[in-house]
């Protein structure tokens, strides 16, 4: 396998991998290891192996592995300063040639929860969808140039915009450049965009809106929040809903995680479908759990992860004929604006 082919394969692996040169400097690292070490991919490039894994004599064993051109194992190495110092790993060192070494890092079983299996699954998924997204975008661009009908060109533009948004999400998952891109988000604009996407489908459901006009903007990542609402709406449609209601509210006295908030924003997707099957209710938000034979079980798991990274939660109540999925987002207390002094001139 070529080096490029190896890297393409290794980038999808949940196992932490890196290649270091003869001076034990990182030449390449995959997203799984960067996440485990709590580093950005770019920051890890050029770092010394001794700096990344200072415990357990890893650097000395790496020198020995290169010199003797044989594999060496380092067991129970502590990652000092990472994950509160509680994480221990096994490190495998394998010479690739006289001047490069493959470093393979496995979190020990008791520390496994420190690495998100959902994130690893989503990185693999993101890698798989990038090429189809590029093809979809290219086809939509060709259609947009050749169509005379303005409405059809607008639909092609919608496809291009959605392909770009999903490509951005895929890149963030692949490269794990981590934190949400926060800005002021008008949640009603987000819901109107969602309405456009729903109505662009071949057989859209009846759509209703029930908005609280007093809803303030919220600090958040618009692309990721849009993805949550789109996942909820698509799940409802695929479950057989004929009517969707998009609702916004301010709710008071809300506990989100371990914190109590005086006020929180709530976005609801309400459908008239058959409801969540009883067998799935306890595990509905877990990865790879789906009520459909062709479902991936990633949509709700990803949606919950996005809600949590915004300090919020995803909840639902369900019965036949009415299912409500609610995205809660904390509303920070308002700071009174300073009173400007009046000057009569």
């Amino acid at each position: 396998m070529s080096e490029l082919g190896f890297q393409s394969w290794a980038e999808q692996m949940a196992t932490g991998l890196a290649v270091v040169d003869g001076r034990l400097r990182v030449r390449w690292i995959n997203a799984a290891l960067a996440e485990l070490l709590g580093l950005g991919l770019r920051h890890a490039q050029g770092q010394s192996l001794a700096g990344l894994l200072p415990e357990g004599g890893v650097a000395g064993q790496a020198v020995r592995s290169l010199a003797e051109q044989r594999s060496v194992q380092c067991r129970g190495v502590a990652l000092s300063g990472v994950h509160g110092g509680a994480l221990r790993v096994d490190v495998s060192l394998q010479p690739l040639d006289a001047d490069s070494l493959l470093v393979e890092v496995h979190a020990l079983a008791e520390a496994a929860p420190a690495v998100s299996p959902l994130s690893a699954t989503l990185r693999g998924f993101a890698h798989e969808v990038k090429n189809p997204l590029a093809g979809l975008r290219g086809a939509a661009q060709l259609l947009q140039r050749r169509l005379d009908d303005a409405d059809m060109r607008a639909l092609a533009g919608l496809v291009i915009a959605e392909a770009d948004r999903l490509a951005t999400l895929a890149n963030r998952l692949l490269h794990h450049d981590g934190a949400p891109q926060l800005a002021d988000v008008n949640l009603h604009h987000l819901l109107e965009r969602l309405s456009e996407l729903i109505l662009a489908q071949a057989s859209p459901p009846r759509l209703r809106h029930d908005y609280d006009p007093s809803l303030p903007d919220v600090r958040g990542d618009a692309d990721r929040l849009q993805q949550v609402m789109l996942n909820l709406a698509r799940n409802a449609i695929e479950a057989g809903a004929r009517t969707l209601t998009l609702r916004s509210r301010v709710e008071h006295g809300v506990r989100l995680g371990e914190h109590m908030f005086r006020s929180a924003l709530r976005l609801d997707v309400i459908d008239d479908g058959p409801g969540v099957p009883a067998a799935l209710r306890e595990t509905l938000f877990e990865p790879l759990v789906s009520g459909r034979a062709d479902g991936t079980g990633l949509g709700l798991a990803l949606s919950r992860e996005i809600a949590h990274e915004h300090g919020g939660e995803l909840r639902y109540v369900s019965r036949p004929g009415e299912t409500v999925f609610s995205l809660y987002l904390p509303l920070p207390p308002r700071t009174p604006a300073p009173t400007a002094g009046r000057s009569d001139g």
Side-chain angles (χ1 to χ4, degrees), residues 82-111:
V82 182
H83 306 289
L87 187 61
R88 288 189 173 273
V89 298
D90 286 344
V91 181
S92 174
L93 306 167
Q94 173 68 47
L96 297 176
D97 54 41
D99 196 41
S100 60
L101 190 70
L102 175 66
V103 180
E104 188 171 344
V105 180
H106 295 272
L108 297 181
E110 63 270 22

Side-chain angles (χ1 to χ4, degrees), residues 68-275:
E68 299 178 5
Q69 284 294 289
R70 67 182 184 87
S71 299
V72 175
Q73 306 292 325
C74 304
R75 305 290 186 186
V77 177
L79 295 187
S80 298
V82 182
H83 306 289
L87 187 61
R88 288 189 173 273
V89 298
D90 286 344
V91 181
S92 174
L93 306 167
Q94 173 68 47
L96 297 176
D97 54 41
D99 196 41
S100 60
L101 190 70
L102 175 66
V103 180
E104 188 171 344
V105 180
H106 295 272
L108 297 181
E110 63 270 22
V115 184
S116 167
L118 173 59
S119 296
T121 301
L122 290 175
R123 280 198 300 273
F125 177 73
H127 186 273
E128 291 301 317
V129 302
K130 285 193 70 179
N131 286 339
L133 279 175
L136 181 67
R137 189 186 196 283
Q141 283 181 309
L142 288 175
L143 283 173
Q144 192 176 45
R145 291 170 190 161
R146 295 178 182 179
L147 290 169
D148 295 325
D149 186 281
D151 289 340
M152 293 296 101
R153 287 200 304 272
L155 284 175
L158 186 64
V159 173
I160 292 169
E162 281 302 289
D164 288 342
R165 186 178 65 80
L166 291 175
T168 298
L169 287 171
N171 282 329
R172 289 180 188 172
L173 287 169
L174 278 171
H175 302 301
H176 207 267
D177 48 2
Q181 307 298 304
L182 298 181
D184 288 338
V185 179
N186 184 309
L187 296 176
H188 290 148
H189 288 172
L190 183 150
L191 292 176
E192 287 302 302
R193 173 71 172 176
L194 174 63
S195 299
E196 292 177 10
L197 295 171
I198 293 171
L199 294 174
Q201 298 187 33
S203 300
R206 187 184 307 113
L207 201 55
R208 295 175 177 168
H209 302 88
D210 181 5
Y211 295 166
D212 178 350
S214 69
L215 216 66
D217 290 354
V218 65
R219 293 291 291 177
D221 186 312
D223 283 344
R224 297 193 189 190
L225 293 175
Q226 180 80 79
Q227 190 64 43
V228 172
M229 302 308 294
L230 187 57
N231 287 344
L232 298 181
R234 283 179 174 163
N235 281 353
I237 294 168
E238 290 169 358
R242 292 172 296 177
T243 300
L244 283 186
T245 300
L246 305 181
R247 182 170 65 190
S248 65
R249 291 289 186 270
V250 174
E251 190 166 320
H252 302 289
V254 180
R255 178 174 291 278
L256 300 177
E258 298 179 355
H259 302 284
M260 178 65 73
F261 291 88
R262 292 184 62 183
S263 301
L265 306 180
R266 192 185 83 229
L267 300 184
D268 297 328
V269 176
I270 308 167
D271 72 74
D272 61 352

Side-chain angles (χ1 to χ4, degrees), residues 325-343:
F325 276 87
S326 301
L327 171 64
Y328 287 84
L329 298 170
L331 184 61
R334 295 182 180 179
T335 303
T339 303
R342 181 177 175 179
S343 175

Side-chain angles (χ1 to χ4, degrees), residues 118 122 284-288 297-306:
L118 173 59
L122 290 175
L284 190 62
F285 293 111
E286 296 302 316
L288 308 180
L298 292 175
L300 286 177
L302 172 59
S303 296
R304 184 177 65 170
E305 191 169 273
I306 292 171

